[in-house]
Each structure stands twice: as C-alpha cells, then as structure tokens.
Amino acid sequence: MAHAQSIAARLDALLRTAEIPDYPAALNGLQLTSRRDVRSIATAVDFSSVTVDEAIRIGADMLLVHHGMFWSGAQPFVGASYDRLANLISHEIAVYSSHLPLDVHPEVGNNVLLARRLGLTPTAGFARYKTIEVGVSGPADMSTASLVEGARALTTEFGGSLVVTPFAAGHVTRRWGICTGAGADTDTVREALERGIDTMIVGEGPHHTAVQARDHGLVIIYAGHYATETLGIRALGDRIASELGIESRFLDAPTGL
Ligand SMILES: [Zn+2]
C-alpha cells in the first residue's frame, strides 16, 4: 500500500507530467491529497459530483480523472463545488488528474488505445500542440464504412451518438489521423490535409470543421468526446493498480456528448 503522494510521483514519472505542455486549467498531477494509504483506485473521464459520489460509494481512496477539479476554471467552493470537496476530504479520497500527458502516452494514452481499438497501427503523430503531437496517424487500406462501424460500437457503448461527414459508398481510408476529445478544429483539419490524411477520427468538433471537411474531400468521424477518452484513464488505473497490487474500478458516467 502507498500514500497518494507516492502514487502521484509514480504516475508523474510514467506520464512525464513535468515535460508535457497543457492548458493551465488541466493542472496535471495530484490535485487533492489525503492522509490515508490508498487501498483502492477509481478512474473516471470527468471530475464531477456523479463520479465523486460513486467513488465514495465503492470505497475508493484515490480518484484518477482526465478532466480534473479545475477544468472549468477558478470557481468558488460554494454549493455543489463545496459539497464535492467536503465529501472528498471527509472520506480521505485523493484526486489525481492527467489531461494531455495521458492523451499522448504511447501505452496507456487515449489516442494510441483508440487506434488499437479500431484495428489501426500508428506510424506517426498528429495534432501538433506546442512541443508535442497530441494524436496519432498512420496508413490503412480499410473501407471507411467499416471504420465508422468500429467507432460507432465504442460511441454507443459509452452513451454517445456518432456523427460522420458524408462520404461516397465504397470510400477507402488510406491515411487516418486520430485526436481524441475536442480533436477537430481549423488547425487539425489543415494539418490533416497537409499530411495527406483522408479520414480523421475525433471526439467532437465545431460545425465549421464538417463544412471544411466536405469541401476538401476529408471524412471526419466524430465518435464522442466522452467515449474516445474512456480508454486511457481506465488503462492508467489498471496499470498503476496492478503495480501496487490493489484494485482499480472505472466509473462510467456518460455525458451523452
Ligand atoms: Zn477531453
């Protein structure tokens, strides 16, 4: 058994937390400590009242999340925000969050795991951000319709609805790019075209990305922000729990998006 701080240090080393750039609100690493040894871990995509209540219900001592406690910016600890914090502290539950360090990880990362789930093998990066490439890309020779169906199975498993831009019957995906979560924007569409990518698989994106895609003959599969980010945090929890000889449980709290 280990203390939350020592588990966080192991996670930070695994995920290279100090080296991976991110948005300030991500605040990657240990976000809330505790005074008790961690005997079981819970994982969730989002820090929320639902996942905090579920972590308490199952008796977890540490909650690992992808979108952390400060994801929606600085907020006063009043109302539901106060209740979450008070409940976590009174139950001695620590919180650890990892956003882009988890997206980019070569073994437990959201992007690599989504590629594997869809039967795709990454050979290059995709979705440049500062010093890193958040996503992955690679060659394929696969019917786009079958790729869509593979993605749809994941989306519906986690309570979402897949959206895909129009493509011709018999369209074949020869080069793909994946960026989980809010992966479609003007920059990633431009980058996809530069890299010769014909099929982009993302979590979500604004409407104009679908218009741009259609204009340039690019297919974008919007497989759900939540669904595409369930894979990494779950794998991270399983990995650290097996190293520590303890249990990890994934708390499924779909947002519909
Ligand atoms: Zn996300």
Side-chain angles (χ1 to χ4, degrees):
M1 273 187 285
H3 200 268
Q5 262 113 329
S6 74
I7 296 174
R10 290 171 75 142
L11 290 169
D12 285 341
L14 173 70
L15 297 163
R16 303 193 299 129
T17 302
E19 296 154 61
I20 308 286
D22 211 328
Y23 309 96
L27 210 69
N28 294 313
L30 187 62
Q31 297 191 330
L32 180 66
T33 193
S34 69
R35 301 192 191 113
R36 196 161 68 188
D37 275 334
V38 174
R39 298 155 303 177
S40 75
I41 285 173
T43 61
V45 174
D46 301 294
F47 177 83
S48 69
S49 298
V50 173
T51 55
V52 167
D53 289 349
E54 188 61 9
I56 293 167
R57 196 188 65 77
I58 67 167
D61 300 309
M62 190 168 188
L63 177 61
L64 311 187
V65 291
H66 183 52
H67 304 132
M69 298 175 73
F70 310 101
W71 194 240
S72 31
Q75 305 275 344
F77 289 115
V78 296
S81 170
Y82 174 80
D83 291 341
R84 283 194 294 269
L85 186 63
N87 283 336
L88 287 166
I89 293 173
S90 66
H91 290 88
E92 293 286 346
I93 300 174
V95 178
Y96 180 95
S97 184
S98 187
H99 181 240
L100 293 185
L102 182 61
D103 281 329
V104 303
H105 194 272
E107 290 151 22
V108 294
N110 283 318
N111 288 280
V112 160
L113 293 178
L114 178 57
R116 188 180 303 162
R117 161 104 187 200
L118 298 175
L120 303 169
T121 306
T123 56
F126 178 54
R128 297 180 196 104
Y129 173 74
K130 295 187 176 176
T131 56
I132 58 168
E133 288 169 323
V134 178
V136 289
S137 60
D141 184 10
M142 187 187 272
S143 119
T144 305
S146 71
L147 196 49
V148 168
E149 288 324 302
R152 195 189 307 279
L154 175 76
T155 309
T156 52
E157 183 183 334
F158 292 103
S161 304
L162 182 137
V163 173
V164 60
T165 57
F167 61 91
H171 187 279
V172 175
T173 294
R174 307 238 181 247
R175 186 148 204 97
W176 54 271
I178 287 179
C179 186
T180 57
D185 58 29
T186 300
D187 290 338
T188 52
V189 168
R190 187 187 305 121
E191 188 183 330
L193 298 172
E194 281 167 15
R195 289 180 184 266
I197 285 168
D198 54 64
T199 308
M200 240 170 92
I201 303 136
V202 300
E204 61 165 327
H207 176 73
H208 69 79
T209 58
V211 177
Q212 288 174 288
R214 200 185 46 198
D215 280 352
H216 293 285
L218 172 70
V219 177
I220 305 184
I221 302 169
Y222 304 88
H225 192 133
Y226 179 80
T228 59
E229 295 190 330
T230 53
L231 306 169
I233 198 71
R234 186 177 200 158
L236 180 68
D238 289 346
R239 170 134 164 194
I240 191 72
S242 91
E243 282 180 25
L244 297 166
I246 61 176
E247 289 284 303
S248 175
R249 274 176 65 182
F250 176 66
L251 312 178
D252 188 20
T255 57
L257 191 64

